[in-house]
Amino acid sequence: MPATAPGGVGQLRGEEPFPAAARRALADAQLRRNLGHATATIRAKSGAVIAEVPDWEQLRAAGSAIKADVLARLPELLEQLEARVTAAGGVVHWAADANEANRIVTDLVRATGSDRVIKVKSMATQEIGLNEALEAAGIIPVETDLAELIVQLGDDRPSHILVPAIHRNRAEIREIFLRAMPGVDRALTDEPADLAAAARRFLRQTFLSTSVAVSGANFAVAETGTLAVVESEGNGRMCLTLPETLITVMGVEKVVPTWRDLEVFLQLLPRASTGERMNPYTSMWTGVTPGDGPQAFHLVLLDNGRSAVLADGVGRQALHCIRCSACLNVCPVYERTGGHAYGSVYPGPIGAVLSPQLTGVADNASLPYASSLCGACYDACPVKINIPELLVHLRDQVPHPRGESVAMAAAAYTMDHPALFAAAQRAARLSRLAGRRGRGLPPPLSGWTAGRDLPEPPVETFREWWAKR
């Protein structure tokens, strides 16, 4: 089997299991208010613009089919992408894991002589812990996306794929700016326009004086070698055009075969993510253009466990993800616990199925259970990832306690022997004598009934009913 993402680097593993982290998050009333307001707002916006598209379901089906085709011939498409990028003046690097990717990027920055980089919002660089690697090498990374900047200045971690600072309200953001943003006006208010203006002033000089940028990529077109980044603020456009050197770190699954395929995703992504008809800034570039934009371009193709995901015929559909966050915005579990409880840079339903596969299920064994299996995520996903199916698939792979295995074996044996099964049904009926109290289970099984009731046994079993007739 291909290697999974290495431990000790990056942001794919939490410090504690999901249930423990979730209990602490549930006790934070302000966090729950922030999350409830933000996710409800995004849901409403997204639902309104999706309703305008008469062929939305056909677009979803097309996106799913394109992604399935990509994974079926991924080596071929990646080699085609490498050839096209190289022909256009770029340099392609292959990184097997986070450690290798961090080393490649750090060496490239050092070669320029720069001690600072500006960054476009990138899940891949957060996944591998690039900021920490750069800082260890004496290089200062500056996040330029507003929400990522809030997280960085607050010495925090992202809690949402699209809106990393969704767990913060504007009063908290003001306090972070006053505490950590150099040169901020002490009279700063918590009005959104004032906060944005403060960030703009802080970043403008950084944009103009930094010669190296690091980005992710939403898509890469194999037939032309073109990379695409979509965003809403314009900071990405600044990073992709002003510096002398541009380094892009991209997961290998982000490739699409043709421009016509890209057309589908540029319709799906903005409506499912930000609730917009199109992204305000869609930036595309192909290699190096003399005299225009960065004059050195490096593309780092990142595996970091993706080949292991690809090897699972069921689990590979998690690689269809286009990082829209639609599943987070409809998930009742995420809305109540927030993203930090998942312990990974990929929170919510997609994180519950992607992170365990990237790291190996044993390293994130609690995440497949971070769901009620309500199916809202499947309905919302613009590329039709069957997340409930994946959750059940991964639960089957989680290391189970010996006591649970013994109990399941005993249940299977009982159900395989009609006389035993009939006796068990008669015994279960005795719980009716205890009323509702009898609808729980004794320790150590009581953990299951602490939050749910056992179904009330019927007065008459089906076998008994059938025998009478």
Side-chain angles (χ1 to χ4, degrees):
M1 286 292 292
T4 53
V9 60
Q11 298 179 21
L12 287 174
R13 297 166 174 87
E15 297 178 355
E16 57 185 346
F18 178 82
R23 271 191 291 273
R24 190 170 58 255
L26 289 171
D28 188 337
Q30 183 61 58
L31 172 67
R32 294 181 66 175
R33 281 193 295 271
N34 294 350
L35 289 168
H37 173 73
T39 53
T41 300
I42 298 171
R43 279 198 307 270
K45 287 182 60 181
S46 181
V49 295
I50 287 174
E52 298 173 351
V53 184
D55 61 345
W56 180 253
E57 290 304 317
Q58 289 87 345
L59 280 170
R60 291 180 73 208
S64 179
I66 293 167
K67 283 292 187 177
D69 172 58
V70 166
L71 297 185
R73 52 194 186 101
L74 188 58
E76 167 198 334
L77 293 173
L78 290 174
E79 289 178 358
Q80 183 183 10
L81 175 67
E82 178 186 33
R84 297 294 185 272
V85 170
T86 302
V91 180
V92 177
H93 310 261
W94 298 78
D97 57 30
N99 290 316
E100 189 171 1
N102 287 335
R103 178 184 56 76
I104 291 169
V105 175
T106 300
D107 288 348
L108 288 172
V109 176
R110 279 176 170 161
T112 68
S114 178
D115 61 357
R116 182 174 64 188
V117 301
I118 48 177
K119 290 187 69 218
V120 186
K121 181 180 182 302
S122 163
M123 303 298 294
T125 60
Q126 292 167 358
E127 173 191 325
I128 64 177
L130 179 61
N131 282 8
E132 292 79 2
L134 291 173
E135 288 168 352
I139 300 165
I140 301 170
V142 180
E143 297 287 353
T144 64
D145 175 84
L146 178 56
E148 291 288 2
L149 178 64
I150 293 165
V151 169
Q152 184 179 41
L153 292 177
D155 195 23
D156 203 349
R157 296 184 68 178
S159 64
H160 191 277
I161 289 175
L162 179 69
V163 193
I166 196 172
H167 56 291
R168 298 289 192 184
N169 61 32
R170 63 192 198 184
E172 293 172 313
I173 294 168
R174 173 182 178 272
E175 292 303 318
I176 290 172
F177 281 11
L178 289 174
R179 182 175 67 249
M181 183 178 285
V184 70
D185 185 352
R186 308 309 297 179
L188 179 69
T189 73
D190 64 1
E191 287 299 315
D194 291 345
L195 295 172
R200 186 177 295 113
R201 285 190 293 271
F202 169 70
L203 289 172
R204 183 55 56 91
Q205 189 56 40
T206 306
F207 282 132
L208 296 173
S209 60
T210 306
S211 61
V212 181
V214 175
S215 82
N218 293 100
F219 308 101
V221 182
E223 73 173 352
T224 61
T226 302
L227 282 292
V229 166
V230 297
E231 38 113 8
S232 299
E233 299 173 13
N235 63 293
R237 182 70 56 82
M238 301 283 275
C239 290
L240 297 170
T241 56
L242 290 177
E244 286 294 315
T245 300
L246 173 61
I247 304 167
T248 297
V249 181
M250 185 189 85
V252 292
E253 79 281 13
K254 295 298 187 71
V255 65
V256 298
T258 69
W259 274 88
R260 290 297 301 273
D261 299 319
L262 181 62
E263 173 187 322
V264 173
F265 296 109
L266 292 183
Q267 295 177 78
L268 287 170
L269 181 56
R271 293 177 188 267
S273 58
T274 55
E276 297 170 301
R277 296 176 182 86
M278 64 180 291
N279 294 101
Y281 294 89
T282 299
S283 300
M284 300 184 188
W285 69 100
T286 305
V288 174
T289 301
D292 183 13
Q295 296 303 289
F297 171 57
H298 298 269
L299 173 61
V300 181
L301 294 173
L302 175 69
D303 189 314
N304 204 40
R306 286 160 175 79
S307 291
V309 184
L310 184 65
D312 186 327
V314 176
R316 64 165 55 185
Q317 61 179 303
L319 295 178
H320 292 192
C321 178
I322 58 174
R323 308 294 191 267
C324 69
S325 76
C327 62
L328 281 69
N329 299 326
V330 299
C331 178
V333 176
Y334 174 85
E335 185 173 342
R336 286 156 180 80
T337 64
H340 291 159
Y342 293 81
S344 168
V345 70
Y346 303 116
I350 189 61
V353 297
L354 182 58
S355 299
Q357 294 192 87
L358 291 174
T359 63
V361 176
D363 283 9
N364 270 307
S366 65
L367 287 186
Y369 294 93
S371 169
S372 66
L373 297 180
C374 69
C377 49
Y378 184 25
D379 293 337
C381 178
V383 290
K384 303 182 72 171
I385 301 171
N386 192 339
I387 293 177
E389 177 187 45
L390 291 182
L391 289 164
V392 174
H393 174 68
L394 292 174
R395 288 178 186 187
D396 188 50
Q397 299 178 23
V398 168
H400 294 278
R402 178 168 175 76
E404 181 181 328
S405 300
V406 171
M408 289 299 177
Y413 184 85
T414 300
M415 293 177 183
D416 199 38
H417 294 76
L420 276 177
F421 186 64
Q425 287 184 308
R426 288 193 295 271
R429 194 181 307 159
L430 295 175
S431 68
R432 294 177 60 87
L433 301 176
R436 290 190 61 82
R437 288 188 178 184
R439 295 172 68 182
L441 290 172
L445 305 177
S446 55
W448 194 87
T449 52
R452 56 179 73 81
D453 286 336
L454 283 174
E456 186 173 347
V459 175
E460 183 179 48
T461 69
F462 173 81
R463 290 167 179 267
E464 292 168 337
W465 177 88
W466 181 261
K468 291 179 181 178
R469 287 158 176 78

Coordinates of all heavy atoms in Angstrom, one line a residue, residues 377-447:
C377 N -24.9 16.3 4.2 CA -23.6 16.6 3.5 C -23.6 16.1 2.1 O -23.1 16.7 1.1 CB -22.4 16.0 4.3 SG -22.6 14.3 4.8
Y378 N -24.2 14.9 1.9 CA -24.3 14.3 0.5 C -25.2 15.1 -0.4 O -24.9 15.4 -1.5 CB -24.8 12.8 0.7 CG -24.9 12.0 -0.6 CD1 -24.1 12.3 -1.7 CD2 -25.8 11.0 -0.7 CE1 -24.1 11.5 -2.8 CE2 -25.8 10.2 -1.9 CZ -25.0 10.5 -2.9 OH -25.1 9.8 -4.1
D379 N -26.3 15.6 0.2 CA -27.2 16.4 -0.6 C -26.6 17.7 -1.0 O -26.9 18.3 -2.1 CB -28.5 16.7 0.2 CG -29.3 15.4 0.4 OD1 -29.2 14.5 -0.4 OD2 -30.1 15.4 1.4
A380 N -25.7 18.3 -0.1 CA -25.1 19.6 -0.4 C -23.9 19.5 -1.3 O -23.6 20.5 -1.9 CB -24.8 20.3 0.9
C381 N -23.2 18.4 -1.3 CA -21.9 18.3 -2.0 C -22.1 18.6 -3.5 O -22.8 17.9 -4.2 CB -21.3 17.0 -1.8 SG -19.7 16.8 -2.7
P382 N -21.4 19.6 -4.1 CA -21.5 19.9 -5.5 C -20.9 18.8 -6.4 O -21.2 18.9 -7.6 CB -20.8 21.2 -5.7 CG -19.8 21.2 -4.6 CD -20.4 20.5 -3.4
V383 N -20.1 17.9 -5.9 CA -19.6 16.8 -6.7 C -20.1 15.5 -6.2 O -19.5 14.4 -6.6 CB -18.0 16.9 -6.8 CG1 -17.6 18.1 -7.6 CG2 -17.4 16.9 -5.4
K384 N -21.1 15.5 -5.4 CA -21.8 14.2 -5.1 C -21.0 13.2 -4.4 O -21.1 12.0 -4.6 CB -22.6 13.6 -6.3 CG -23.5 14.6 -7.0 CD -24.2 14.0 -8.2 CE -25.3 13.0 -7.7 NZ -26.1 12.5 -8.8
I385 N -20.1 13.6 -3.4 CA -19.4 12.7 -2.6 C -20.3 12.1 -1.6 O -21.0 12.8 -0.9 CB -18.2 13.4 -1.9 CG1 -17.2 14.0 -2.9 CG2 -17.5 12.4 -1.0 CD1 -16.2 14.9 -2.2
N386 N -20.4 10.7 -1.6 CA -21.3 10.1 -0.7 C -20.6 9.9 0.7 O -20.1 8.8 1.0 CB -21.7 8.7 -1.3 CG -22.9 8.1 -0.5 OD1 -23.2 8.4 0.6 ND2 -23.6 7.1 -1.1
I387 N -20.6 11.0 1.4 CA -19.9 11.0 2.7 C -20.5 10.0 3.7 O -19.7 9.4 4.4 CB -19.9 12.5 3.2 CG1 -19.0 13.4 2.3 CG2 -19.3 12.5 4.7 CD1 -18.9 14.8 2.7
P388 N -21.8 9.9 3.8 CA -22.3 8.9 4.7 C -21.8 7.5 4.4 O -21.5 6.7 5.3 CB -23.8 9.0 4.6 CG -24.1 10.4 4.2 CD -22.9 10.7 3.3
E389 N -21.7 7.1 3.1 CA -21.2 5.8 2.8 C -19.7 5.7 3.2 O -19.3 4.6 3.7 CB -21.3 5.6 1.2 CG -20.7 4.3 0.7 CD -20.7 4.2 -0.8 OE1 -20.3 5.2 -1.4 OE2 -21.0 3.2 -1.3
L390 N -19.0 6.8 3.0 CA -17.6 6.7 3.4 C -17.4 6.6 4.9 O -16.5 5.9 5.4 CB -16.8 8.0 2.9 CG -16.6 8.1 1.4 CD1 -15.9 9.4 1.1 CD2 -15.9 6.9 0.8
L391 N -18.2 7.3 5.7 CA -18.2 7.2 7.1 C -18.4 5.8 7.6 O -17.6 5.3 8.5 CB -19.2 8.1 7.8 CG -18.9 9.6 7.6 CD1 -20.2 10.4 7.9 CD2 -17.8 10.1 8.5
V392 N -19.4 5.1 7.1 CA -19.7 3.7 7.4 C -18.5 2.8 7.0 O -18.1 1.9 7.7 CB -21.0 3.3 6.8 CG1 -21.2 1.8 7.1 CG2 -22.1 4.1 7.4
H393 N -18.0 3.1 5.8 CA -16.8 2.3 5.3 C -15.6 2.4 6.2 O -15.0 1.4 6.5 CB -16.5 2.8 3.9 CG -15.3 2.2 3.3 ND1 -15.2 0.9 2.9 CD2 -14.1 2.8 3.0 CE1 -14.0 0.7 2.4 NE2 -13.3 1.8 2.4
L394 N -15.4 3.6 6.7 CA -14.2 3.9 7.6 C -14.4 3.3 9.0 O -13.5 2.9 9.6 CB -13.8 5.4 7.6 CG -13.3 5.9 6.3 CD1 -13.1 7.4 6.4 CD2 -12.0 5.3 5.9
R395 N -15.7 3.4 9.4 CA -16.0 2.9 10.8 C -15.6 1.4 10.8 O -15.3 0.8 11.8 CB -17.5 3.1 11.1 CG -17.8 4.5 11.4 CD -19.3 4.7 11.7 NE -19.6 6.1 11.9 CZ -20.8 6.6 12.3 NH1 -21.8 5.7 12.6 NH2 -21.0 7.9 12.4
D396 N -15.8 0.7 9.7 CA -15.5 -0.7 9.6 C -14.0 -1.0 9.7 O -13.6 -2.1 10.1 CB -16.0 -1.3 8.3 CG -15.9 -2.8 8.2 OD1 -16.4 -3.5 9.2 OD2 -15.4 -3.3 7.2
Q397 N -13.2 0.0 9.4 CA -11.7 -0.1 9.4 C -11.1 0.3 10.7 O -9.9 0.1 11.0 CB -11.1 0.7 8.3 CG -11.5 0.2 6.9 CD -10.9 1.1 5.8 OE1 -9.9 1.7 6.0 NE2 -11.6 1.1 4.6
V398 N -11.9 1.0 11.6 CA -11.4 1.5 12.8 C -11.1 0.4 13.8 O -11.8 -0.6 13.8 CB -12.4 2.5 13.5 CG1 -12.1 2.8 14.9 CG2 -12.6 3.8 12.7
P399 N -9.9 0.4 14.5 CA -9.7 -0.6 15.5 C -10.7 -0.6 16.5 O -11.0 0.4 17.2 CB -8.3 -0.2 16.0 CG -7.7 0.7 15.0 CD -8.8 1.4 14.4
H400 N -11.4 -1.8 16.7 CA -12.5 -1.9 17.7 C -12.0 -2.5 19.0 O -11.2 -3.4 18.9 CB -13.6 -2.7 17.1 CG -14.3 -2.0 15.9 ND1 -15.3 -1.1 16.0 CD2 -14.1 -2.2 14.6 CE1 -15.7 -0.7 14.8 NE2 -15.0 -1.3 13.9
P401 N -12.5 -2.1 20.1 CA -12.2 -2.7 21.4 C -12.5 -4.2 21.4 O -13.5 -4.6 20.8 CB -13.0 -1.9 22.4 CG -13.4 -0.7 21.7 CD -13.5 -1.0 20.3
R402 N -11.8 -5.0 22.1 CA -12.0 -6.4 22.2 C -13.4 -6.7 22.7 O -14.1 -7.6 22.2 CB -11.0 -7.1 23.0 CG -11.2 -8.6 23.1 CD -10.0 -9.3 23.7 NE -10.3 -10.7 23.9 CZ -10.3 -11.6 23.0 NH1 -10.0 -11.3 21.7 NH2 -10.5 -12.9 23.2
G403 N -13.9 -6.0 23.7 CA -15.2 -6.2 24.3 C -16.3 -6.0 23.2 O -17.3 -6.8 23.2
E404 N -16.1 -5.0 22.3 CA -17.1 -4.8 21.3 C -17.1 -6.0 20.3 O -18.2 -6.4 19.8 CB -16.8 -3.5 20.6 CG -17.8 -3.1 19.5 CD -17.5 -1.8 18.8 OE1 -16.9 -0.9 19.4 OE2 -17.7 -1.7 17.6
S405 N -15.9 -6.4 19.9 CA -15.8 -7.6 19.0 C -16.5 -8.8 19.6 O -17.2 -9.5 18.9 CB -14.3 -7.8 18.7 OG -13.7 -6.7 18.1
V406 N -16.3 -9.0 20.9 CA -16.9 -10.2 21.5 C -18.4 -10.1 21.5 O -19.1 -11.1 21.2 CB -16.3 -10.4 23.0 CG1 -17.1 -11.4 23.7 CG2 -14.9 -10.7 23.0
A407 N -18.9 -8.9 21.8 CA -20.3 -8.7 21.9 C -21.0 -8.9 20.5 O -22.0 -9.5 20.3 CB -20.6 -7.3 22.4
M408 N -20.3 -8.4 19.4 CA -20.8 -8.5 18.1 C -20.8 -10.0 17.6 O -21.7 -10.5 17.0 CB -20.0 -7.6 17.1 CG -20.3 -6.2 17.3 SD -22.0 -5.7 17.0 CE -22.0 -4.0 17.3
A409 N -19.7 -10.7 18.0 CA -19.6 -12.1 17.7 C -20.8 -12.9 18.4 O -21.4 -13.8 17.8 CB -18.3 -12.7 18.1
A410 N -21.1 -12.5 19.6 CA -22.1 -13.2 20.4 C -23.5 -12.9 19.7 O -24.3 -13.8 19.6 CB -22.1 -12.8 21.8
A411 N -23.7 -11.7 19.3 CA -24.9 -11.3 18.6 C -25.1 -12.1 17.3 O -26.2 -12.6 17.0 CB -25.0 -9.8 18.4
A412 N -24.0 -12.2 16.6 CA -24.0 -12.9 15.3 C -24.4 -14.4 15.5 O -25.2 -14.9 14.8 CB -22.7 -12.7 14.6
Y413 N -23.8 -14.9 16.5 CA -24.0 -16.4 16.8 C -25.5 -16.6 17.2 O -26.2 -17.5 16.7 CB -23.1 -16.8 18.0 CG -23.3 -18.3 18.3 CD1 -22.5 -19.2 17.6 CD2 -24.1 -18.7 19.3 CE1 -22.7 -20.6 17.9 CE2 -24.2 -20.1 19.6 CZ -23.5 -21.0 18.9 OH -23.7 -22.3 19.2
T414 N -26.0 -15.6 18.0 CA -27.4 -15.7 18.4 C -28.4 -15.6 17.2 O -29.3 -16.4 17.1 CB -27.7 -14.6 19.5 OG1 -26.9 -14.8 20.6 CG2 -29.2 -14.7 19.9
M415 N -28.1 -14.7 16.4 CA -29.0 -14.5 15.2 C -28.9 -15.6 14.2 O -29.8 -15.8 13.4 CB -28.6 -13.1 14.6 CG -29.0 -11.9 15.4 SD -28.5 -10.4 14.6 CE -28.9 -9.2 15.9
D416 N -27.8 -16.4 14.3 CA -27.6 -17.5 13.4 C -28.3 -18.8 13.9 O -28.3 -19.8 13.2 CB -26.1 -17.7 13.1 CG -25.8 -18.5 11.9 OD1 -26.5 -18.3 10.9 OD2 -24.9 -19.3 11.9
H417 N -28.8 -18.7 15.1 CA -29.4 -19.9 15.7 C -30.9 -19.5 16.1 O -31.1 -18.8 17.1 CB -28.6 -20.4 16.9 CG -27.3 -21.0 16.5 ND1 -26.2 -20.1 16.2 CD2 -26.8 -22.2 16.3 CE1 -25.2 -20.9 15.8 NE2 -25.5 -22.1 15.9
P418 N -31.9 -20.0 15.3 CA -33.3 -19.6 15.6 C -33.8 -19.8 17.0 O -34.4 -18.9 17.5 CB -34.0 -20.4 14.6 CG -33.1 -20.7 13.5 CD -31.7 -20.9 14.2
A419 N -33.4 -20.9 17.6 CA -33.9 -21.1 19.0 C -33.3 -20.1 20.0 O -34.1 -19.6 20.8 CB -33.6 -22.5 19.4
L420 N -32.0 -19.8 19.8 CA -31.4 -18.8 20.7 C -32.0 -17.4 20.4 O -32.3 -16.7 21.4 CB -29.9 -18.8 20.4 CG -29.0 -19.8 21.2 CD1 -27.6 -19.6 20.7 CD2 -29.2 -19.6 22.7
F421 N -32.2 -17.1 19.2 CA -32.8 -15.8 18.8 C -34.2 -15.6 19.4 O -34.5 -14.6 20.0 CB -32.8 -15.6 17.3 CG -33.2 -14.2 16.9 CD1 -32.4 -13.1 17.1 CD2 -34.4 -14.0 16.1 CE1 -32.8 -11.9 16.7 CE2 -34.8 -12.8 15.7 CZ -33.9 -11.7 16.0
A422 N -35.0 -16.7 19.3 CA -36.4 -16.6 19.9 C -36.3 -16.4 21.4 O -37.1 -15.7 22.0 CB -37.1 -17.9 19.5
A423 N -35.4 -17.1 22.1 CA -35.2 -17.0 23.5 C -34.8 -15.6 23.9 O -35.3 -15.0 24.9 CB -34.2 -18.0 24.0
A424 N -33.9 -15.0 23.1 CA -33.4 -13.6 23.4 C -34.6 -12.6 23.2 O -34.7 -11.7 24.0 CB -32.3 -13.3 22.4
Q425 N -35.4 -12.9 22.2 CA -36.6 -12.0 22.1 C -37.5 -12.0 23.3 O -38.0 -11.0 23.8 CB -37.3 -12.3 20.8 CG -36.7 -11.9 19.5 CD -37.5 -12.3 18.3 OE1 -38.0 -13.4 18.1 NE2 -37.7 -11.3 17.5
R426 N -37.7 -13.3 23.8 CA -38.6 -13.4 25.0 C -38.0 -12.7 26.2 O -38.6 -12.1 27.0 CB -38.8 -14.9 25.2 CG -39.8 -15.6 24.2 CD -40.2 -16.9 24.7 NE -39.1 -17.9 24.9 CZ -38.7 -18.7 23.9 NH1 -39.3 -18.6 22.7 NH2 -37.7 -19.5 24.1
A427 N -36.6 -12.9 26.3 CA -35.9 -12.2 27.4 C -36.0 -10.7 27.3 O -36.2 -10.0 28.3 CB -34.5 -12.7 27.5
A428 N -35.9 -10.2 26.1 CA -35.9 -8.7 25.9 C -37.3 -8.2 26.3 O -37.4 -7.0 26.8 CB -35.6 -8.4 24.5
R429 N -38.3 -9.0 26.2 CA -39.7 -8.5 26.5 C -39.8 -8.2 28.0 O -40.7 -7.4 28.4 CB -40.7 -9.5 26.0 CG -42.1 -9.0 26.0 CD -43.1 -10.1 25.6 NE -42.6 -10.7 24.3 CZ -43.0 -11.9 23.9 NH1 -43.9 -12.6 24.6 NH2 -42.6 -12.4 22.8
L430 N -39.0 -8.8 28.8 CA -39.1 -8.6 30.3 C -38.8 -7.1 30.6 O -39.2 -6.7 31.7 CB -38.1 -9.5 31.0 CG -38.4 -11.0 30.9 CD1 -37.3 -11.8 31.6 CD2 -39.8 -11.3 31.5
S431 N -38.0 -6.5 29.7 CA -37.7 -5.1 30.0 C -38.9 -4.2 30.0 O -38.9 -3.1 30.6 CB -36.7 -4.5 29.0 OG -37.3 -4.4 27.7
R432 N -40.0 -4.6 29.5 CA -41.2 -3.8 29.5 C -41.7 -3.7 30.9 O -42.4 -2.7 31.3 CB -42.3 -4.5 28.7 CG -42.0 -4.5 27.2 CD -43.1 -5.3 26.4 NE -44.4 -4.7 26.6 CZ -44.9 -3.7 25.9 NH1 -44.2 -3.2 24.9 NH2 -46.1 -3.2 26.1
L433 N -41.4 -4.6 31.8 CA -41.9 -4.5 33.2 C -41.2 -3.4 33.9 O -41.8 -2.9 34.9 CB -41.5 -5.9 33.9 CG -42.2 -7.1 33.3 CD1 -41.7 -8.3 34.1 CD2 -43.7 -7.0 33.4
A434 N -40.1 -2.9 33.5 CA -39.4 -1.8 34.1 C -39.7 -0.5 33.5 O -39.2 0.5 34.0 CB -37.9 -2.1 34.1
G435 N -40.6 -0.4 32.5 CA -41.0 0.8 31.9 C -39.8 1.5 31.2 O -38.9 0.8 30.7
R436 N -39.7 2.8 31.2 CA -38.7 3.5 30.5 C -37.3 3.2 31.1 O -36.3 3.2 30.4 CB -38.9 5.0 30.5 CG -40.1 5.5 29.7 CD -40.1 7.0 29.6 NE -38.9 7.5 28.9 CZ -38.8 7.6 27.6 NH1 -39.7 7.1 26.8 NH2 -37.7 8.1 27.1
R437 N -37.2 2.9 32.4 CA -35.9 2.6 33.0 C -35.3 1.4 32.3 O -34.1 1.2 32.3 CB -36.1 2.4 34.5 CG -36.3 3.7 35.2 CD -36.3 3.4 36.7 NE -36.5 4.6 37.5 CZ -36.4 4.7 38.8 NH1 -36.1 3.6 39.5 NH2 -36.6 5.8 39.5
G438 N -36.2 0.5 31.9 CA -35.7 -0.7 31.3 C -35.2 -0.5 29.8 O -34.8 -1.5 29.2
R439 N -35.3 0.7 29.3 CA -34.9 0.9 27.9 C -33.4 1.4 27.8 O -33.0 1.9 26.8 CB -35.8 2.0 27.3 CG -37.2 1.4 27.2 CD -38.2 2.4 26.7 NE -38.0 2.8 25.4 CZ -38.7 3.7 24.7 NH1 -39.7 4.3 25.4 NH2 -38.5 4.0 23.5
G440 N -32.7 1.3 28.9 CA -31.3 1.5 28.9 C -30.5 0.2 28.9 O -31.1 -0.8 28.9
L441 N -29.2 0.3 29.0 CA -28.3 -0.9 29.0 C -27.4 -0.7 30.3 O -27.1 0.4 30.6 CB -27.5 -1.0 27.8 CG -28.2 -1.4 26.5 CD1 -27.3 -1.3 25.3 CD2 -28.9 -2.8 26.6
P442 N -27.1 -1.9 30.9 CA -26.2 -1.8 32.0 C -24.8 -1.5 31.6 O -24.4 -1.8 30.4 CB -26.3 -3.2 32.6 CG -26.7 -4.1 31.5 CD -27.5 -3.2 30.6
P443 N -23.9 -1.1 32.5 CA -22.5 -0.9 32.2 C -21.9 -2.3 31.7 O -22.3 -3.3 32.3 CB -21.9 -0.4 33.5 CG -23.0 0.2 34.2 CD -24.2 -0.6 33.9
P444 N -20.9 -2.3 30.8 CA -20.3 -1.1 30.1 C -21.1 -0.7 28.9 O -20.6 0.2 28.2 CB -18.9 -1.7 29.8 CG -19.2 -3.2 29.5 CD -20.3 -3.6 30.4
L445 N -22.2 -1.3 28.6 CA -23.0 -0.9 27.4 C -23.8 0.4 27.6 O -24.4 0.8 26.7 CB -23.9 -2.1 27.1 CG -23.3 -3.5 26.9 CD1 -24.3 -4.5 26.6 CD2 -22.2 -3.4 25.7
S446 N -23.8 0.9 28.8 CA -24.6 2.1 29.1 C -24.2 3.3 28.3 O -25.0 4.3 28.2 CB -24.6 2.4 30.6 OG -23.3 2.5 31.1
G447 N -22.9 3.3 27.8 CA -22.5 4.5 27.1 C -23.3 4.7 25.8 O -23.6 5.8 25.4

